[in-house]
């Protein structure tokens, strides 16, 4: 995690989903009456399931894909406070290191077990996972050859991901995938992006790989963009549309 992971802007709106217990974990969920067993698993950024930007994205994806969208709390209430984004002093003082110790990649079994139970409890027949920032590493691992249950997800989306292990995570990926990337990104820099793309291009006969690079924007743009910045706002809108198109292709 880098300083860019605690920067951004809080959006306005009225979330229409609800928080309930699924697989023994608080989950923000937005259902769609026409889901037909199709679903999206939304792995949040460091600001968690109560962050309004995340909730509004969940609502939008449900509406535009006609799928149920689930965003579980993998921090057990210990998300980074949104005030860290808006208060320069808090942002400067916030130390990633102890937080990362508690919420690192060693917790992947929690994500994997939740996904298994979610599919059983909710009668899900097709599932795509999308991970933003912190959620990126969990997303790619769910689509890897290292999961204990084959075909746990049908597709993987990573949006300016962090905490990836390159090249191992990319080499183990074996599901259709979409990478939404920011030009300026210390968590997933150009060298890592290029290496990842090279590795995945060799697998394109096995599954779909799409890399979408957005110029002039920084890490976090797709969820924490400044609505007054036209370049960032337009890029976020296009990133959302690209993700929706990918969801529809995999889920239908």
């Amino acid at each position: 995690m880098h300083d860019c992971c605690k920067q951004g802007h809080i959006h306005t709106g009225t979330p229409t989903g609800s928080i309930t217990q699924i697989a023994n974990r608080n989950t923000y969920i937005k259902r769609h009456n026409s889901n037909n067993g199709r679903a999206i698993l939304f792995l949040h950024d460091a600001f968690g399931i109560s962050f309004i930007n995340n909730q509004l994205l969940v609502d939008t994806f449900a509406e535009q894909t006609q799928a149920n969208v689930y965003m579980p709390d993998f921090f057990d209430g210990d998300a980074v406070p949104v005030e860290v984004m808006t208060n320069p002093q808090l942002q400067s003082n916030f130390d990633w290191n102890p937080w990362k110790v508690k919420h690192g990649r060693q917790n992947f079994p929690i994500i994997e077990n939740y996904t298994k139970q979610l599919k059983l409890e909710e009668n899900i027949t097709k599932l795509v996972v999308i991970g933003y920032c912190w959620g990126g590493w969990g997303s790619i691992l769910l689509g890897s050859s290292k999961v204990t249950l084959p075909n746990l997800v049908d597709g993987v989306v990573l949006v300016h991901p962090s905490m990836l292990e390159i090249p191992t995570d990319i080499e183990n990926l074996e599901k259709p995938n979409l990478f939404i990337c920011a030009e300026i990104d210390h968590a997933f820099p150009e060298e890592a992006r290029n290496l990842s793309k090279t590795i995945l291009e060799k697998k394109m006969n096995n599954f779909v790989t799409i890399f979408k690079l957005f110029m002039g924007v920084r890490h976090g743009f797709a969820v924490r963009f400044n609505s007054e910045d036209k370049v960032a706002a337009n890029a976020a809108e296009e990133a959302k549309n690209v993700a929706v198109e990918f969801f529809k292709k995999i889920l239908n």
Side-chain angles (χ1 to χ4, degrees):
M1 307 289 285
H2 299 261
D3 284 345
C4 56
C5 299
K6 54 185 177 182
Q7 298 170 350
H9 297 264
I10 301 173
H11 299 160
T12 58
T14 304
T16 56
S18 60
I19 295 179
T20 187
Q21 282 271 316
I22 295 180
N24 298 315
R25 188 166 293 275
N26 284 340
T27 303
Y28 181 87
I29 177 174
K30 178 64 178 179
R31 298 186 186 277
H32 195 285
N33 291 334
S34 303
N35 71 84
N36 295 322
R38 300 169 302 167
I40 298 165
L41 176 60
F42 187 111
L43 301 188
H44 49 67
D45 63 4
F47 296 97
I49 72 168
S50 296
F51 182 32
I52 188 172
N53 298 24
N54 289 332
Q55 294 181 348
L56 293 174
L57 268 174
V58 167
D59 296 348
T60 297
F61 286 146
E63 177 185 355
Q64 296 190 5
T65 65
Q66 298 186 345
N68 289 345
V69 186
Y70 303 85
M71 178 171 60
D73 178 12
F74 287 123
F75 297 153
D76 294 325
D78 188 40
V80 175
V82 293
E83 292 78 13
V84 169
M85 253 189 296
T86 57
N87 185 312
Q89 189 65 46
L90 289 176
Q91 189 175 118
S92 176
N93 291 341
F94 185 81
D95 185 359
W96 279 120
N97 292 324
W99 189 86
K100 284 194 297 183
V101 169
K102 290 186 289 183
H103 304 298
R105 289 172 58 110
Q106 76 277 3
N107 292 337
F108 178 67
I110 296 174
I111 297 176
E112 185 178 21
N113 291 333
Y114 175 91
T115 307
K116 294 176 185 177
Q117 193 61 35
L118 171 70
K119 293 183 73 173
L120 290 173
E121 290 187 15
E122 295 290 303
N123 297 314
I124 293 170
T125 55
K126 282 193 174 182
L127 179 66
V128 177
V129 59
I130 183 169
Y132 285 80
C133 308
W134 179 90
W137 65 267
S139 180
I140 199 170
L141 290 184
L142 283 175
S144 80
S145 57
K146 301 304 180 183
V147 290
T148 58
L149 182 65
N151 300 317
L152 198 54
V153 298
D154 300 284
V156 171
V157 183
L158 288 84
V159 188
H160 36 70
S162 63
M163 298 168 60
L164 297 187
E165 293 181 357
I166 308 293
T168 306
D169 287 343
I170 307 300
E171 292 169 343
N172 290 336
L173 182 57
E174 58 177 19
K175 292 294 179 181
N177 56 84
L178 165 64
F179 285 73
I180 294 174
C181 308
E183 178 189 14
I184 306 164
D185 192 341
H186 296 296
F188 194 43
E190 183 178 11
E191 182 179 359
R193 293 195 302 265
N194 289 341
L195 177 57
S196 300
K197 190 174 181 180
T198 298
I199 293 170
L200 288 172
E201 283 175 347
K202 297 176 182 178
K203 298 183 175 185
M204 289 185 70
N205 289 334
N206 300 324
F207 47 74
V208 173
T209 289
I210 302 171
F211 262 79
K212 184 69 175 178
L213 176 63
F214 289 87
M215 305 301 291
V217 293
R218 296 177 176 274
H219 177 92
F221 81 93
V223 66
R224 303 190 299 272
F225 63 91
N226 181 354
S227 58
E228 296 182 359
D229 180 340
K230 289 186 178 180
V231 172
N234 289 340
E237 177 68 15
E238 186 179 350
K240 182 266 297 178
N241 291 339
V242 170
V244 167
E245 182 180 351
F246 182 82
F247 291 146
K248 289 180 176 179
K249 184 180 300 183
I250 302 299
L251 293 175
N252 293 335

